Amino acid sequence: MTRTLMTIGECMVEMAPGDDGRFAMGFAGDMFNSAWYARQIAGNGLRVAFLSATGDDAVSGEMEHFIRAAGVEPLLSVVPGKSVGLYLISLKDGERSFSYWRSDSAARRLTDGLDRLPGLVSGDWVLVSGITLAILDDDRRARLLGLLHEAKSRGVLVALDPNIRPRLWTDAGEMRRQIMRTAALSDLVLPSFDDEAAHFGDATPEATLARYRAAGAASVVVKNGAGPVMASEGEAPAVTVHPPTIPAVVDTTAAGDAFNGGFLSARLAGASLTDSIQAGCDVAAQVIRARGALVPVKTART
Ligand code: ADP
């Protein structure tokens, strides 16, 4: 049976500097990246869809074409008169920094006109992130949570990557409340320990695991850069998986997004928790060896 993984969020235009000082245009964004990686490594048994909103201009059309060409089904509402967000990467002494133009992007209205999440049935997964929550105003965020509740009532499974970005929120306390509120309705939470330590004050990955489990998430998988991934699910004992050692890390952009794509596509194919974490680590290990958010990857199967 074909299962669906739907991710919800913002895809942006990416302007990345080349060696000659010119910029190359691409498209990326955390939830689209996760869909892109899931699509890369999943077999035919998985339908991967990306739900967002774009404008009605030429670059919005190019984005839709790019998403479709990647094999990801675009579920995009069109907001007349708006466009997509954009970010530009600056390189100084080998360090990358990011500038964003996204405050009025069409994706901020991605819940408008939605009564339910389309095409999802029991056993399918939907993935949202803390960035998805952050770009929506209060009413639209409440609407998204309502859509997730409704999907859950039909047996759809909800996953959250907290992807904590304080600059997208006006208030840090509200940011933490909204992330925990969404975690409480999630079946799976996929945090990265450094973010959680910085913004929730967790002393250890175990503390992150315990906090999201206590909030109500049945499964929690804590990523931790080169450190071990710690996870627990249901009543089973916690598991620890060591990512492979990568001697020459080139660019960790989208490592967590790639992990999510690898993990969820393995989980949807019926893999165990430990094997799904291995799949996530395997995809992320390939991504950090190359520059850019979207890197072609292989699976152990291919
Ligand atoms: P994020 O990109 O969200 O900050 P992390 O930095 O925790 O996420 O990394 C996500 C995953 O990417 C890790 O769980 C691991 O599998 C892989 N990864 C990241 N950095 C390294 C590294 N230096 N060596 C090996 N694997 C890494």
Side-chain angles (χ1 to χ4, degrees), residues 134-284:
I135 62 170
L136 301 175
D137 62 21
D138 292 348
D139 288 349
R140 291 183 171 105
R141 193 183 308 117
R143 192 181 180 98
L144 175 66
L145 295 194
L147 293 167
L148 295 175
H149 266 299
E150 192 279 330
K152 253 181 97 88
S153 72
R154 291 186 280 128
V156 173
L157 295 146
V158 175
L160 167 72
D161 181 338
N163 244 339
I164 306 174
R165 296 290 183 276
R167 287 205 312 192
L168 290 174
W169 297 85
T170 47
D171 179 85
E174 181 64 2
M175 170 184 84
R176 286 190 286 268
R177 270 191 300 282
Q178 294 297 341
I179 287 172
M180 292 311 290
R181 193 177 161 207
T182 310
L185 75 82
S186 298
D187 298 281
L188 165 69
V189 183
L190 294 153
S192 286
F193 175 63
D194 53 356
D195 281 356
E196 305 294 326
H199 302 294
F200 281 95
D202 296 341
T204 58
E206 287 88 340
T208 303
L209 204 62
R211 180 167 48 80
Y212 284 119
R213 286 301 308 264
S219 306
V220 178
V221 177
V222 184
K223 298 163 272 182
N224 189 15
V229 178
M230 292 207 53
S232 82
E233 185 168 88
E235 299 306 313
V239 300
T240 301
V241 176
H242 291 263
T245 303
I246 311 296
V249 173
V250 175
D251 176 7
T252 59
T253 303
D257 307 337
F259 180 98
N260 297 342
F263 177 88
L264 281 166
S265 52
R267 214 72 243 262
L268 271 137
S272 69
L273 179 63
T274 303
D275 288 350
S276 302
I277 295 170
Q278 296 278 14
C281 289
D282 176 51
V283 179

Side-chain angles (χ1 to χ4, degrees), residues 52 62 89 110 115 125 133 172 244 254 262 266 271 274:
S52 189
E62 283 182 51
I89 304 169
L110 61 80
D115 295 325
W125 279 88
L133 302 176
T274 303

